[in-house]
Amino acid sequence: MKSKIMLLSIPAMLVAMGSANATTFRPFVGATMGLQGIMYSDDAKDTERDYDFDLPESLFTYGFEGGFRFGDHSKIYNGGVSLNLDMSTEADIDAKFSDIKKAELTTNTISATYDNYIRISGDKMNRIDLVLGAGFGSTSARKEDSNDPTIKSGTEHSGVFALKAGLDFELSEHFTLSATSRLFIPTKAHYDADVTYIVGGAVKYIF
């Protein structure tokens, strides 16, 4: 049920923005990279301890971002919608107190947020915006190449609530650099992670 609500919320955000003047819309695309942190649940920590392995707490991520923002460039407030796809590189699940690999972990997260752009510097030329956003998404964690019977290969999925905070630095009319932190709270009961987060940046091309 929660996943259906999330899927319906994304087009609802787009429809809500449709009432704005189309001439104020500025679509964008970009590439992202960052460091993902994972805060594991108590059950996952208990499993680590019982079977003597360590789950990775940080992973390198890369991905893509797209969406649009709307509002006059000279106004303090602009709004927008963004869609992110974040993929991690492989991280080892090691035996406790050693570097012996037992399996590998990768993650994928897709999220859509409504973003608030609040100008904190610049007006007619290059803006610097505080960006605050909230939305929904879906995440998955995949364990594979396991050589330990206590670690089952497979993929676990969960819906997530997504929160965003960061800064956008407008370099020119068409290029923006972003420094952003995003927090994902899984909605599935008994998911291995209580919270994940990505701290990183993006280079965006504004049409």
Side-chain angles (χ1 to χ4, degrees):
M1 182 65 181
K2 290 179 180 178
S3 61
K4 291 181 179 178
I5 293 173
M6 284 184 250
L7 290 173
L8 290 173
S9 298
I10 295 172
M13 286 192 294
L14 298 175
V15 170
M17 296 304 98
S19 59
N21 185 342
T23 61
T24 67
F25 276 60
R26 299 197 68 196
F28 64 83
V29 293
T32 65
M33 62 184 301
L35 187 67
Q36 179 182 28
I38 303 175
M39 301 175 66
Y40 291 101
S41 66
D42 289 339
D43 287 344
K45 292 177 182 178
D46 289 344
T47 302
E48 279 185 305
R49 182 174 59 252
D50 292 343
Y51 294 104
D52 293 323
F53 64 82
D54 289 319
L55 292 165
E57 296 183 351
S58 61
L59 304 92
F60 179 77
T61 65
Y62 59 96
F64 305 97
E65 181 174 3
F68 61 85
R69 61 184 289 173
F70 63 90
D72 293 337
H73 187 273
S74 60
K75 300 295 185 182
I76 291 177
Y77 175 82
N78 282 187
V81 171
S82 60
L83 180 68
N84 282 84
L85 171 62
D86 298 288
M87 301 165 285
S88 81
T89 56
E90 298 169 347
D92 291 346
I93 301 173
D94 290 330
K96 195 172 288 293
F97 308 121
S98 77
D99 292 328
I100 299 173
K101 186 175 81 170
K102 291 196 169 188
E104 292 179 341
L105 176 71
T106 56
T107 66
N108 289 280
T109 304
I110 185 169
S111 59
T113 57
Y114 177 82
D115 300 324
N116 301 278
Y117 297 88
I118 303 166
R119 191 187 74 221
I120 58 176
S121 178
D123 50 8
K124 296 182 180 179
M125 296 299 291
N126 297 339
R127 292 173 59 118
I128 299 176
D129 290 297
L130 172 66
V131 184
L132 301 173
F136 305 93
S138 176
T139 190
S140 64
R142 178 169 179 79
K143 298 184 182 80
E144 55 189 347
D145 293 337
S146 174
N147 56 23
D148 187 322
T150 64
I151 303 175
K152 295 181 180 180
S153 295
T155 304
E156 185 179 20
H157 301 274
S158 176
V160 292
F161 294 112
L163 300 173
K164 175 194 291 185
L167 294 171
D168 264 17
F169 302 89
E170 190 176 61
L171 303 180
S172 67
E173 180 182 0
H174 294 291
F175 286 97
T176 296
L177 287 180
S178 298
T180 309
S181 296
R182 287 174 289 136
L183 184 74
F184 305 104
I185 304 170
T187 60
K188 180 182 177 181
H190 309 299
Y191 193 67
D192 278 351
D194 283 340
V195 174
T196 65
Y197 58 89
I198 295 176
V199 178
V203 179
K204 296 189 288 190
Y205 180 81
I206 316 294
F207 292 94

